[in-house]
Amino acid sequence: MAVMSLAWHSLLNRKVTVCLTVLAIGLSVTLLLGVEKIRHEAKRGFISTISGTDLIVGARTGPVQLLLYSVFRIGDATNNISWENYQHFANHKMVKWSIPFALGDSHKGYRVLGTNQTYFEHYRYGNKQPLILAQGKRFTDLYDAVIGAEVAKKLGYQLGDQVVLAHGAGKTSFVKHDNQPFQIAGILAPTGTPVDQTIHVSLEAIEAIHLGWERGTPSALAKSITPDQARQLDLQPKTITAFLLGLKSKIGTFVLQREVNKFEQEPLLAIIPGVAITQLWQLIGTAEKALLVISAFVVVTGLIGMLTTILTSLSERRREMAILRSVGARPFHIFSLMISEAGLIAILGCLTGISFLYGLMAVAQPVFMELYGIHIQISFLTQHEIMLLSIVIISGFFMGIFPAWRAYKNSLTDGMTIRT
């Protein structure tokens, strides 16, 4: 304790250089822990985007592509699924519930999802959390729309406002279904998932706005039909984009998946959400690992800066070391003093970095939620993060070994001689 107290007072005697060194280490630790936090929260957000769903089924393509367009609303499907084949699996003896999806339209860059009431009843995210309406109700009329929290916030929409959907998924569209406007009936509570960025309408509404689009372009019927006329028609869907399945028993997941993948009437692909999300994370995992390595190098640079500062100060402290030796300090005390100083600087740097981290998290939390849909949970440090801090502190003590040895050697040979 006497050595630590002496080391502390020695650091106080060199406030400016020590503070700069602590700040450099603190910033590098903030970067290291910040990258780790964002990586952890992004991965948690990925995994929690969908839960409670046993299978996602779409037209035959790659598992990651099916996951991207059906869950994350990124990209487009290679083909559609016939309504009859969807009904075949929706009524399967192993299936407890199903949720059909129809994609392909947008509104000011936000995707439109055609579905039915089972979406609000069975879709889960996070820890099997259900979708909750913050305002209004589910769609009941043909031209009702339920929008996500981000859509409402970014576009300033409220209940009763009218929205016009556009054909295609781009931010800019020259073909709009402006003769069949929708009215906002409900606004969902924030979820931190792509649901927040989605406009939900009924499957029948998707059919209604595409009347007269059989050849891929709007005909005279598509431009002239009115909402009242559309309500009188049979609007049962002919095709959908994908569908989710919840099974009566988890044991049958692989059996039904194999049955879907071997379905002869239509080329289909069934994926298990958790497996596909893991594959997707592995694809982008290289970038996050590279960022973590860069952060580690920044920490090493900070520690090397500390080492340089201590070594530079040795020539100015030769008399100090020699005086300590002359009053009875043993070689072990000199050695311990220098190592303790390095360790204290590393500890102070880590504490500074943690303070910076939580301050930045408090500021960045709403920004990341709004821009990227990533909820950064402000919580205590994880075991992995504590381990990283421990490595930094232990490395700081080890960094003190070389200057400690130099100080010991110098104290034996000089320091008492007055130089002219």
Side-chain angles (χ1 to χ4, degrees):
M1 291 300 296
V3 172
M4 292 296 288
S5 177
L6 184 61
W8 175 253
H9 285 89
S10 178
L11 293 178
L12 291 178
N13 197 43
R14 308 190 310 277
K15 296 184 187 69
V16 177
T17 55
V18 169
C19 285
L20 289 175
T21 305
V22 168
L23 181 62
I25 295 174
L27 290 174
S28 61
V29 168
T30 300
L31 179 61
L32 177 67
L33 294 181
V35 168
E36 180 63 18
K37 279 282 185 187
I38 293 174
R39 184 190 70 83
H40 180 266
E41 293 300 328
K43 186 174 184 179
R44 187 179 63 84
F46 257 67
I47 295 172
S48 65
T49 300
I50 183 171
S51 65
T53 296
D54 296 308
L55 291 173
I56 301 174
V57 182
R60 190 165 296 168
T61 181
V64 173
Q65 184 181 357
L66 174 55
L67 179 74
L68 285 174
Y69 73 72
S70 62
V71 175
F72 293 96
R73 319 285 192 261
I74 299 174
D76 297 299
T78 55
N79 208 343
N80 285 333
I81 303 170
S82 71
W83 182 254
E84 291 75 16
N85 290 332
Y86 159 67
Q87 287 292 327
H88 171 80
F89 288 105
N91 297 321
H92 196 283
K93 62 181 181 180
M94 298 175 65
V95 174
K96 184 176 182 180
W97 54 262
S98 64
I99 304 174
F101 284 174
L103 298 161
D105 293 280
S106 64
H107 174 72
K108 296 184 178 180
Y110 292 102
R111 290 294 186 103
V112 173
L113 173 67
T115 186
N116 57 21
Q117 297 296 333
T118 58
Y119 176 78
F120 301 103
E121 295 167 4
H122 298 293
Y123 189 88
R124 298 289 185 269
Y125 70 95
N127 189 20
K128 295 188 177 180
Q129 296 168 261
L131 298 178
I132 299 173
L133 282 164
Q135 299 178 48
K137 60 180 182 178
R138 303 176 185 179
F139 47 71
T140 53
D141 184 70
L142 182 63
Y143 293 100
D144 280 349
V146 176
I147 62 176
E150 184 178 325
V151 179
K153 184 178 180 180
K154 286 288 186 69
L155 301 181
Y157 285 154
Q158 297 179 351
L159 296 180
D161 288 349
Q162 287 196 336
V163 294
V164 174
L165 307 186
H167 192 69
K171 288 189 176 182
T172 303
S173 177
F174 299 102
V175 183
K176 297 183 178 181
H177 306 288
D178 47 11
N179 58 320
Q180 299 183 69
F182 285 75
Q183 180 173 293
I184 297 175
I187 299 175
L188 292 168
T191 64
T193 71
V195 171
D196 297 343
Q197 306 163 25
T198 306
I199 298 170
H200 308 85
V201 300
S202 65
L203 289 171
E204 292 76 15
I206 295 293
E207 286 295 314
I209 63 176
H210 289 99
L211 291 170
W213 283 78
E214 288 76 10
R215 297 184 178 180
T217 56
S219 64
L221 173 63
K223 297 177 181 179
S224 62
I225 192 168
T226 65
D228 290 334
Q229 291 173 334
R231 286 188 176 94
Q232 306 303 318
L233 301 174
D234 179 13
L235 298 173
Q236 178 176 296
K238 298 178 179 62
T239 61
I240 58 173
T241 308
F243 58 92
L244 311 182
L245 293 177
L247 306 187
K248 297 175 182 177
S249 173
K250 303 290 182 183
I251 299 174
T253 301
F254 293 104
V255 175
L256 187 59
Q257 182 186 29
R258 185 163 52 249
E259 184 178 334
V260 172
N261 292 339
K262 291 183 177 181
F263 192 58
E264 295 181 355
Q265 279 74 13
E266 189 174 5
L268 300 175
L269 174 68
I271 61 172
I272 300 173
V275 175
I277 287 174
T278 301
Q279 292 176 348
L280 177 60
W281 187 255
Q282 288 174 347
L283 291 176
I284 63 175
T286 304
E288 51 119 4
K289 288 177 183 176
L291 193 58
L292 194 60
V293 169
I294 293 172
S295 302
F297 274 114
V298 172
V299 174
V300 171
T301 303
L303 291 173
I304 292 174
M306 177 191 70
L307 175 63
T308 304
T309 301
I310 295 175
L311 286 173
T312 305
S313 68
L314 284 182
S315 60
E316 302 173 359
R317 301 176 65 191
R318 284 186 174 184
R319 286 182 63 84
E320 176 190 341
M321 298 302 157
I323 291 171
L324 288 172
R325 291 277 286 150
S326 70
V327 296
R330 297 179 180 180
F332 172 75
H333 293 145
I334 301 296
F335 196 81
S336 299
L337 174 64
M338 301 305 296
I339 290 180
S340 298
E341 287 185 11
L344 281 173
I345 291 174
I347 292 171
L348 290 172
C350 287
L351 292 175
T352 303
I354 293 171
S355 301
F356 285 165
L357 174 69
Y358 280 97
L360 287 173
M361 284 171 61
V363 174
Q365 187 182 50
V367 176
F368 271 81
M369 184 67 184
E370 182 176 345
L371 295 180
Y372 308 109
I374 298 175
H375 175 66
I376 300 177
Q377 187 175 0
I378 300 179
S379 58
F380 191 71
L381 297 174
T382 64
Q383 288 186 345
H384 183 64
E385 290 162 351
I386 293 173
M387 183 191 71
L388 291 176
L389 288 174
S390 301
I391 292 173
V392 173
I393 292 172
I394 292 170
S395 300
F397 278 102
F398 272 103
M399 285 287 186
I401 292 177
F402 181 64
W405 177 79
R406 286 287 302 272
Y408 168 70
K409 295 291 288 184
N410 289 341
S411 68
L412 293 177
T413 57
D414 59 15
M416 293 299 291
T417 304
I418 298 177
R419 301 191 180 195
T420 57

